[in-house]
Short mmCIF file of all heavy atoms in Angstrom, two decimals:
data_model
loop_
_atom_site.label_atom_id
_atom_site.label_comp_id
_atom_site.label_asym_id
_atom_site.label_seq_id
_atom_site.Cartn_x
_atom_site.Cartn_y
_atom_site.Cartn_z
N GLN A 1 111.19 124.94 124.64
CA GLN A 1 110.53 124.73 123.34
C GLN A 1 111.02 123.44 122.74
O GLN A 1 112.25 123.24 122.52
CB GLN A 1 110.89 125.93 122.43
CG GLN A 1 110.23 125.82 121.06
CD GLN A 1 110.59 127.01 120.25
OE1 GLN A 1 111.08 128.00 120.74
NE2 GLN A 1 110.23 126.96 118.94
N LEU A 2 110.16 122.50 122.48
CA LEU A 2 110.51 121.21 121.99
C LEU A 2 110.27 121.04 120.49
O LEU A 2 110.72 120.04 119.94
CB LEU A 2 109.72 120.15 122.77
CG LEU A 2 109.95 120.07 124.25
CD1 LEU A 2 109.05 119.01 124.87
CD2 LEU A 2 111.43 119.79 124.56
N ALA A 3 109.59 121.96 119.87
CA ALA A 3 109.29 121.83 118.43
C ALA A 3 109.57 123.12 117.69
O ALA A 3 109.75 124.16 118.34
CB ALA A 3 107.85 121.42 118.21
N ALA A 4 109.62 123.06 116.38
CA ALA A 4 109.86 124.29 115.62
C ALA A 4 108.62 125.16 115.70
O ALA A 4 107.50 124.66 115.77
CB ALA A 4 110.16 123.90 114.17
N VAL A 5 108.82 126.48 115.57
CA VAL A 5 107.70 127.38 115.70
C VAL A 5 107.05 127.56 114.30
O VAL A 5 107.71 127.88 113.33
CB VAL A 5 108.26 128.78 116.23
CG1 VAL A 5 107.16 129.80 116.22
CG2 VAL A 5 108.82 128.62 117.54
N GLY A 6 105.71 127.46 114.28
CA GLY A 6 104.94 127.80 113.09
C GLY A 6 104.99 126.81 111.95
O GLY A 6 104.31 127.01 110.93
N GLN A 7 105.71 125.78 112.03
CA GLN A 7 105.77 124.81 110.90
C GLN A 7 105.89 123.39 111.42
O GLN A 7 106.83 123.09 112.15
CB GLN A 7 106.94 125.13 109.98
CG GLN A 7 106.95 124.40 108.68
CD GLN A 7 108.11 124.88 107.77
OE1 GLN A 7 109.06 125.34 108.25
NE2 GLN A 7 107.89 124.74 106.50
N ALA A 8 104.93 122.59 110.99
CA ALA A 8 104.95 121.20 111.38
C ALA A 8 105.70 120.40 110.36
O ALA A 8 105.54 120.61 109.14
CB ALA A 8 103.53 120.63 111.56
N THR A 9 106.53 119.49 110.79
CA THR A 9 107.25 118.61 109.84
C THR A 9 106.47 117.31 109.78
O THR A 9 106.33 116.60 110.75
CB THR A 9 108.70 118.37 110.41
OG1 THR A 9 109.31 119.60 110.62
CG2 THR A 9 109.49 117.56 109.41
N ILE A 10 106.06 117.02 108.53
CA ILE A 10 105.32 115.74 108.33
C ILE A 10 106.15 114.85 107.46
O ILE A 10 106.69 115.22 106.42
CB ILE A 10 103.97 116.07 107.64
CG1 ILE A 10 103.12 116.98 108.50
CG2 ILE A 10 103.21 114.75 107.32
CD1 ILE A 10 101.88 117.48 107.82
N ALA A 11 106.32 113.64 107.91
CA ALA A 11 107.12 112.62 107.15
C ALA A 11 106.35 112.21 105.91
O ALA A 11 105.16 112.02 105.96
CB ALA A 11 107.42 111.42 108.01
N PRO A 12 107.07 112.13 104.77
CA PRO A 12 106.37 111.72 103.55
C PRO A 12 105.96 110.26 103.65
O PRO A 12 106.62 109.43 104.25
CB PRO A 12 107.44 111.93 102.46
CG PRO A 12 108.75 111.87 103.18
CD PRO A 12 108.46 112.41 104.59
N ALA A 13 104.85 109.98 102.96
CA ALA A 13 104.35 108.61 102.92
C ALA A 13 105.24 107.75 102.05
O ALA A 13 105.76 108.19 101.01
CB ALA A 13 102.95 108.57 102.35
N VAL A 14 105.55 106.58 102.47
CA VAL A 14 106.38 105.63 101.79
C VAL A 14 105.53 104.92 100.71
O VAL A 14 104.50 104.30 101.08
CB VAL A 14 107.05 104.61 102.71
CG1 VAL A 14 107.85 103.60 101.89
CG2 VAL A 14 107.92 105.31 103.67
N THR A 15 105.90 105.03 99.45
CA THR A 15 105.17 104.41 98.39
C THR A 15 105.81 103.04 98.07
O THR A 15 106.86 102.73 98.58
CB THR A 15 105.15 105.26 97.14
OG1 THR A 15 106.49 105.45 96.72
CG2 THR A 15 104.49 106.62 97.40
N CYS A 16 105.20 102.38 97.21
CA CYS A 16 105.70 101.04 96.80
C CYS A 16 107.02 101.15 96.08
O CYS A 16 107.88 100.29 96.18
CB CYS A 16 104.62 100.37 95.93
SG CYS A 16 105.06 98.65 95.54
N ASP A 17 107.18 102.27 95.31
CA ASP A 17 108.47 102.42 94.58
C ASP A 17 109.64 102.67 95.52
O ASP A 17 110.72 102.34 95.16
CB ASP A 17 108.30 103.63 93.62
CG ASP A 17 107.28 103.35 92.53
OD1 ASP A 17 107.03 102.17 92.23
OD2 ASP A 17 106.70 104.31 92.03
N ALA A 18 109.36 103.29 96.67
CA ALA A 18 110.47 103.60 97.54
C ALA A 18 110.81 102.44 98.50
O ALA A 18 111.80 102.51 99.20
CB ALA A 18 110.07 104.78 98.42
N MET A 19 110.00 101.39 98.47
CA MET A 19 110.26 100.30 99.39
C MET A 19 111.44 99.43 98.88
O MET A 19 111.65 99.36 97.67
CB MET A 19 109.04 99.43 99.47
CG MET A 19 107.87 100.11 100.17
SD MET A 19 106.37 99.13 100.22
CE MET A 19 106.88 97.83 101.26
N ILE A 20 112.15 98.85 99.78
CA ILE A 20 113.31 98.03 99.42
C ILE A 20 112.84 96.66 98.91
O ILE A 20 113.30 96.14 97.89
CB ILE A 20 114.25 97.85 100.61
CG1 ILE A 20 114.80 99.24 100.97
CG2 ILE A 20 115.35 96.89 100.33
CD1 ILE A 20 115.63 99.24 102.25
N ALA A 21 111.90 96.04 99.60
CA ALA A 21 111.40 94.73 99.19
C ALA A 21 110.22 94.89 98.22
O ALA A 21 109.07 95.11 98.65
CB ALA A 21 111.03 93.97 100.43
N HIS A 22 110.51 94.85 96.96
CA HIS A 22 109.45 95.01 95.96
C HIS A 22 108.52 93.84 95.86
O HIS A 22 107.48 93.93 95.19
CB HIS A 22 110.03 95.36 94.63
CG HIS A 22 110.69 96.68 94.55
ND1 HIS A 22 110.00 97.88 94.58
CD2 HIS A 22 112.02 97.06 94.52
CE1 HIS A 22 110.82 98.88 94.52
NE2 HIS A 22 112.06 98.39 94.50
N ALA A 23 108.90 92.74 96.54
CA ALA A 23 107.99 91.58 96.42
C ALA A 23 106.63 91.81 97.13
O ALA A 23 105.67 91.15 96.82
CB ALA A 23 108.72 90.37 97.08
N THR A 24 106.58 92.74 98.08
CA THR A 24 105.38 92.95 98.78
C THR A 24 104.43 93.88 98.05
O THR A 24 103.31 94.09 98.42
CB THR A 24 105.60 93.51 100.18
OG1 THR A 24 106.33 94.73 100.07
CG2 THR A 24 106.41 92.50 101.03
#
């Protein structure tokens, strides 16, 4: 078994506020 059973883990989307380089 390579993944968790019954629940998919989805990475949260990175928003502009969470970015390190705010210039972009």
